[in-house]
Amino acid sequence: MPKEFRSLISLQEAKSIISDHLPPAREKAVALGSSLGCILAEKVISSQDVPGFGRASMDGYAVISQDTIVAREDRPVSLRLAGSVPMGRRPEIEISRGEAAEVSTGSMMPKGADAVVMIEYSLAQKGIVYIRRPAFGGENVQAAGSDISFGEAVLFPGTPIAAREIGVLAALGRESVRVRSLDVGLASTGAELIPPGRELLLGQIYDINSYTIAAGVEDCGARPRSYGILPDDKEQMARTLLRMAEECDMILVSGSTSAGAGDMIYQVIEEVGELIFHGVNFKPGKPTIFGIIRGKPCIGLPGYPTSALTVFAELAAPAIRSVLGRGHSENKTAGRLAGPLRTEGRQQMLAVGVSGDLVYPVDKGSGSITTLALADGVIEIPAGVEFLEGGSPVQVRLFSPAQGPCLVVAGENSLFLERLAEDLPWRLMLLNTGSYRGRIYLEDGIADLAAVSSPLEEAPKGEAKVVWSGKRELGLIYRDPSAPVDPASQRIVGWPRDSAMKEAFEQALTEMGIGAPVYVRLAKTHTAMAAIVASGRADLGFGEKEAASQAGLGFKPVVEDELYLLAGPKGLGNPRIKSLMSALPLQTI
């Protein structure tokens, strides 16, 4: 590329040139407590269930739901109090018909109990618990793996690690995580500069840029490495710049960039490397320099602190964020509710996701880690407000700086979509809602695309258009070859009710003579389904052939499924949808 020596170029051209010379990011393992602000470099797959056991989600009494069917305010059901379950310990009691056990929020459910009656609807006196309201099976109980399932992919490379991601990683028991890293060497120039803390002499000023630029580098997610103040001596300056190039991935130097008699950094860069441009046509970035030293990009910032920060924000910060996979951000964003919202009338901070200018609730309850994983921030609902109409303007307080545009795909889970989320250079958000809710999210504008299954679902209708379809083989997944022969005696793992996989699986089970299957647990993704079976937590499941193959499991074909990606009329011109289409296989998944 030809040099632009002291010839002004446009800001856009400067950005383009720097973008063409970016270094690759490194990877390193960091302690979980030190990972805040880092960028994830690995795909995180859960090695356990969260929670790892069935637990009470309310204070009250663990009961057998059938015992409470006839309970009324004026005709309470009386149950014998069998004991209590202490927090953090395995229950020493087992509940039989006609009995109840006292439990606290988060305590393990005793064997035999399948529901919890809130303490507000019960009364304990002299060893008897009076139940004034019926409870259905599973009420106020959080099942094992209902939050995060064993084998589920929960975080993908390129994800910024904020408080919610640290919460997810901690819930999985991770004490360290692999992150992207970038070392940025920093130096200031000028004979008039001295470090803060020393006594100023006449004509001297404190070095400001080394600290402000270091803070900016760290805010971008990179590691600043300070090389102090470079003297106005060509040989010493050259030695330090060469050492920075050896030890760092990128170099930022402030001062000595103008064309005055004492400004020499551009001369040194030309002598030890390649000077690509000197001068950018925007105020206050006119003296900006860019060059290459031993393969490492070097940006020369103006010496004035305000100018240095301005040029850093325009040129260096986007470059650093691009290498690490971070986007520009703000801590607040305005939006409008995607649909009507009913609240309790109390002041509330509601966890929400953000898709474009649409804001939608993702709150699964205070005990749910996946609320954190799905939420982009919170909105404040004032006391006394019980209903907000769809389209109401809201301000979202973001958990972490707002990321650049992403593409939201809601609907059926598929391994190929997970691979795309891992490999695409921009963020692909997957909401595993099932076909039915995927279409609703598309219609409401929350999702850019809906992934729906057919022929298990009726053919697409209305304004939604099919932009891609692919075939995948679905079938039984098992460890023991005898499992599909005698499914009635197996521990079966099923799918949530909104997934088309549930309908397909239960149709197959019906044909095998099982009309009302009882599942030991549910899985939300194909990888989780296979992992649960492979680990021995269940004997028989249903999912994609690829999931069984990756887990080393047996597979018996049941149906060839057609997976559609639907887009609304406004989404057909979305450049990210077009980019996604070019990355998808032509037909078979």
Side-chain angles (χ1 to χ4, degrees):
M1 181 177 295
K3 299 176 184 176
E4 295 288 346
F5 181 63
R6 280 178 284 180
S7 177
L8 299 183
I9 63 174
S10 69
L11 179 59
Q12 189 58 45
E13 186 177 356
K15 291 181 177 181
S16 178
I17 291 173
I18 294 175
S19 179
D20 290 340
H21 293 84
L22 296 181
R26 304 185 192 188
E27 290 187 14
K28 66 178 180 181
V30 299
L32 182 60
S34 302
S35 66
L36 180 66
C38 295
I39 302 296
L40 193 64
E42 64 172 312
K43 182 178 181 179
V44 178
I45 298 178
S46 175
S47 59
Q48 62 188 50
D49 289 325
V50 179
F53 53 89
R55 65 186 185 184
S57 59
M58 289 289 179
D59 293 338
Y61 295 91
V63 299
I64 298 172
S65 57
Q66 289 184 339
D67 287 341
T68 70
I69 292 176
V70 297
R72 298 292 184 273
E73 281 285 345
D74 57 342
R75 290 178 296 169
V77 170
S78 59
L79 302 175
R80 187 181 73 84
L81 182 60
S84 62
V85 180
M87 291 288 292
R89 293 175 57 184
R90 183 184 296 273
E92 298 178 355
I93 56 176
E94 181 176 340
I95 301 302
S96 301
R97 293 297 298 270
E99 293 182 332
E102 185 179 4
V103 292
S104 301
T105 302
S107 62
M108 191 171 180
M109 288 290 290
K111 188 175 181 180
D114 67 344
V116 171
V117 176
M118 293 172 59
I119 197 168
E120 292 89 336
Y121 306 116
S122 56
L123 176 66
Q125 289 182 339
K126 298 180 181 181
I128 301 296
V129 179
Y130 297 94
I131 305 299
R132 302 194 304 269
R133 179 177 174 177
F136 58 83
E139 185 174 359
N140 298 323
V141 175
Q142 192 172 18
S146 60
D147 196 351
I148 299 175
S149 176
F150 172 86
E152 182 177 345
V154 292
L155 295 172
F156 294 90
T159 301
I161 299 178
R164 54 182 175 171
E165 284 74 27
I166 289 177
V168 171
L169 292 165
L172 300 180
R174 296 287 297 268
E175 62 178 356
S176 65
V177 62
R178 293 200 64 79
V179 300
R180 296 174 182 171
S181 67
L182 189 75
D183 286 355
V184 180
L186 306 177
S188 295
T189 66
E192 75 281 13
L193 299 179
I194 65 169
R198 296 186 184 180
E199 184 179 353
L200 281 176
L201 300 178
L202 189 62
Q204 293 180 331
I205 59 173
Y206 288 123
D207 175 21
I208 299 173
N209 292 342
S210 290
Y211 299 90
T212 56
I213 301 303
V217 167
E218 193 166 1
D219 186 58
C220 290
R223 185 176 73 150
R225 298 184 60 177
S226 177
Y227 289 79
I229 301 169
L230 304 184
D232 288 339
D233 179 275
K234 281 189 177 181
E235 289 186 5
Q236 292 187 51
M237 191 178 289
R239 284 197 298 269
T240 303
L241 288 176
L242 289 172
R243 183 159 66 93
M244 295 169 75
E246 288 295 322
E247 299 174 354
C248 302
D249 305 302
M250 182 182 291
I251 302 167
L252 299 179
V253 182
S254 66
S256 192
T257 60
S258 296
D263 297 314
M264 62 184 70
I265 190 72
Y266 65 90
Q267 299 173 14
V268 177
I269 292 175
E270 190 169 41
E271 291 175 4
V272 300
E274 178 186 8
L275 183 66
I276 296 179
F277 67 71
H278 183 191
V280 180
N281 191 21
F282 87 108
K283 186 178 181 179
K286 183 177 179 180
T288 303
I289 289 173
F290 180 73
I292 302 294
I293 303 175
R294 293 190 175 176
K296 305 297 176 61
C298 175
I299 301 176
L301 307 173
Y304 287 140
T306 302
S307 301
L309 279 175
T310 301
V311 175
F312 174 82
E314 289 292 334
L315 296 177
I320 295 170
R321 291 180 178 275
S322 177
V323 170
L324 294 175
R326 296 168 64 103
H328 286 293
S329 57
E330 292 180 348
N331 290 327
K332 275 189 175 183
T333 187
R336 54 190 177 89
L337 288 177
L341 179 65
R342 293 192 178 277
T343 67
E344 300 174 5
R346 298 184 300 169
Q347 185 178 11
Q348 182 181 4
M349 298 294 181
L350 181 68
V352 295
V354 179
S355 177
D357 68 337
L358 293 177
V359 177
Y360 57 99
V362 297
D363 199 341
K364 291 186 176 181
S366 59
S368 176
I369 289 296
T370 48
T371 293
L372 295 175
L374 292 173
D376 293 301
V378 297
I379 59 174
E380 181 177 2
I381 302 173
V385 175
E386 297 183 354
F387 180 79
L388 291 172
E389 293 183 347
S392 298
V394 292
Q395 282 282 334
V396 181
R397 300 180 187 177
L398 299 169
F399 288 136
S400 57
Q403 302 305 304
C406 69
L407 197 68
V408 180
V409 180
E412 295 297 326
N413 172 258
S414 180
L415 267 70
F416 90 95
L417 287 175
E418 290 191 359
R419 286 196 300 273
L420 287 173
E422 183 176 356
D423 296 338
L424 285 171
W426 39 268
R427 186 180 175 208
L428 179 66
M429 179 184 291
L430 303 179
L431 303 178
N432 298 319
T433 63
S435 294
Y436 177 72
R437 289 194 176 274
R439 291 187 180 187
I440 293 177
Y441 277 28
L442 178 64
E443 182 179 339
D444 289 346
I446 296 173
D448 301 294
L449 293 170
V452 302
S453 180
S454 183
L456 308 177
E457 294 272 304
E458 63 181 37
K461 294 180 180 179
E463 296 184 346
K465 304 295 182 183
V466 177
V467 295
W468 179 87
S469 68
K471 298 183 184 301
R472 57 178 179 172
E473 198 166 19
L474 303 175
L476 303 179
I477 297 175
Y478 52 86
R479 291 188 320 281
D480 189 334
S482 65
V485 178
D486 183 22
S489 64
Q490 308 300 316
R491 294 172 301 156
I492 304 175
V493 54
W495 285 88
R497 63 181 182 180
D498 290 327
S499 173
M501 298 301 96
K502 172 180 172 65
E503 181 181 345
F505 190 17
E506 293 187 354
Q507 181 177 330
L509 291 174
T510 299
E511 294 173 356
M512 298 166 67
I514 303 177
V518 177
Y519 302 119
V520 295
R521 58 180 303 149
L522 302 179
K524 293 178 286 187
T525 69
H526 293 274
T527 52
M529 174 70 67
I532 291 167
V533 175
S535 68
R537 289 170 167 80
D539 305 312
L540 186 66
F542 179 85
E544 292 181 354
K545 181 179 181 179
E546 182 182 353
S549 177
Q550 289 182 358
L553 298 171
F555 180 82
K556 181 179 179 180
V558 172
V559 63
E560 187 179 69
D561 179 48
E562 188 89 7
L563 189 68
Y564 292 109
L565 288 183
L566 308 181
K570 295 182 180 179
L572 297 177
N574 188 326
R576 291 189 182 273
I577 291 181
K578 294 180 179 179
S579 175
L580 177 66
M581 295 305 101
S582 65
L584 291 173
L586 294 178
Q587 191 57 235
T588 303
I589 298 173

